Amino acid sequence: MSEAILEAYAVTAGYVPDLPILRDVSVTVQPGQITLIIGPNGAGKSTLIKAIAGLLPVSGGHITFAGRDITGIRTDQLSAHGIAYVPQTDNIFRSLTIRQNLDLALRRAGSEAAARMGLLFDQFPALAAKQRDKAGTLSGGQRQFLAIAMALATGPRLILMDEPSAGLSPKAAQEVLEHARALTARGVSILLVEQNVNQALRLADHCFILAEGRNQIDGPAEDLRDNKVVGEIYLGNRRVGAA
Ligand SMILES: Nc1ncnc2c1ncn2[C@@H]1O[C@H](COP(=O)(O)OP(=O)(O)OP(=O)(O)O)[C@@H](O)[C@H]1O
Ligand SMILES: [Mg+2]
C-alpha cells in the first residue's frame, strides 16, 4: 500500500476539556482515494473531521498530512497546507450570489482568481448559468456543488467532506457522490462522511466505521457492502472494541 496522505493516529478530542468524544480514533487516507467514514448519529464523525481541521483541541494522538504533523493546525492555515473542509451545515453564504461566494473562496488567489473562477464555472456549468443569483435560491444539490466548488477554489490535495448528500434526493445525492469520485481521478484525496451508506460504499475505496467515539471495523469498501456486522453496528447491537 502506498504511503497515506492523511493519518490520524489514536486521536482523542472533544468539545469540553476532560470530556473526550473521540477516544483513540485512527483513520488513514490513501492518495487519490475516497475514504469513507460511517457510523450512527452521534458517533463522532463530524467531531473527527473538525479535529483534523483544527476546530477542536486534540488532547491525545496526532495527525499527519503529507508527512507533516498538522495536529492542532490553525484552521486559517488549512488551505495553505492543501486541505479544504466542506462542513455538514452552513457551508455556503445563502444571501450572497454564487459569484460572491466563489470570490470569497478565491480571496487569496490574487491575480489567478479570474482564471480559477473560469475553471470552476467550466466544471460546474449549472453554477455558471446562475452566477448572479443568490446562493439561497439554488436547489439542495446545486448548493452542495457550490460548497464543493468553494473547497476546490484553493486547489486542495485533500478535501474533508461532511455529509455532502444529506437532505438531497437520491438522484442529487448520487450526482454529488459521483462528482466526488471524479475529483479523485484528478489526484484529489477525499475523506468523506456519509449517511447514505449503501450509495457511498459503492463509490468509496476504503471505509472506517465509528460508533460511540471509537473505531469499530474498517476495510475495503467493497468488502463492507452487505456485511452483516455493519448493519448490526447501525442497529446498536454490536460494539467492537468498546470498553
Ligand atoms: N458543539 C458541541 N459541543 C458539545 N458536544 C457536542 C458538540 N457537537 C457535537 N457534540 C457531541 O459529540 C458527539 C458526537 O457528535 P458528532 O456531531 O461528531 O456526531 P456525528 O457522528 O457527526 O453524528 P451525525 O450523524 O448526527 O452528524 C455527540 O454526543 C454530540 O452530542
Ligand atoms: Mg455529523
Side-chain angles (χ1 to χ4, degrees):
M1 198 181 265
S2 63
E3 195 153 316
I5 186 160
L6 179 81
E7 180 175 16
Y9 176 76
V11 169
T12 296
Y15 298 86
V16 181
D18 303 326
L19 255 184
I21 299 286
L22 304 175
R23 291 174 196 262
D24 291 334
V25 171
S26 298
V27 301
T28 52
V29 178
Q30 300 299 325
Q33 293 200 349
I34 295 184
T35 299
L36 177 64
I37 300 179
I38 58 176
N41 295 124
K45 305 179 298 294
S46 296
T47 304
L48 175 61
I49 297 278
K50 288 182 210 166
I52 294 168
L55 291 161
L56 292 176
V58 173
S59 59
H62 63 255
I63 299 160
T64 57
F65 176 68
R68 293 170 72 176
D69 191 328
I70 60 156
T71 315
I73 191 174
R74 275 176 42 195
T75 302
D76 63 355
Q77 295 294 309
L78 273 181
S79 63
H81 277 80
I83 303 174
Y85 166 47
V86 182
Q88 184 169 354
T89 53
D90 299 325
N91 53 21
I92 57 161
F93 299 97
R94 289 169 185 241
S95 59
L96 301 181
T97 67
I98 283 113
R99 182 172 266 275
Q100 287 168 333
N101 271 276
L102 291 172
D103 276 337
L104 275 176
L106 287 162
R107 66 193 178 283
R108 292 189 188 145
S111 57
E112 286 182 31
R116 286 215 206 157
M117 177 94 73
L119 289 174
L120 289 171
F121 281 147
D122 290 346
Q123 203 178 331
F124 299 97
L127 297 181
K130 298 189 171 181
Q131 57 183 282
R132 312 261 170 222
D133 295 355
K134 294 260 199 308
T137 66
L138 294 173
S139 69
Q142 288 169 339
R143 260 181 249 157
Q144 289 302 336
F145 280 122
L146 176 57
I148 293 169
M150 290 172 73
L152 289 171
T154 58
R157 295 171 67 192
L158 172 73
I159 307 183
L160 309 169
M161 286 189 192
D162 196 348
E163 298 205 18
S165 79
L168 302 185
S169 68
K171 181 169 173 283
Q174 188 64 22
E175 285 170 6
V176 167
L177 292 175
E178 281 173 6
H179 198 93
R181 181 78 260 175
L183 293 176
T184 63
R186 305 192 199 175
V188 178
S189 309
I190 297 178
L191 184 58
L192 174 71
V193 173
E194 262 301 329
Q195 31 80 46
N196 285 320
V197 172
N198 292 330
Q199 266 178 314
L201 279 173
R202 281 196 292 274
L203 279 158
D205 296 290
H206 200 88
C207 175
F208 290 83
I209 304 184
L210 298 187
E212 296 177 355
R214 293 177 191 265
N215 284 101
Q216 303 296 317
I217 54 178
D218 75 276
E222 62 183 327
D223 293 355
L224 295 182
R225 281 177 226 151
D226 308 316
N227 181 317
K228 201 164 147 267
V229 177
V230 175
E232 288 176 359
I233 289 170
Y234 272 86
L235 293 170
N237 300 331
R238 172 88 73 111
R239 294 286 179 269
V240 181

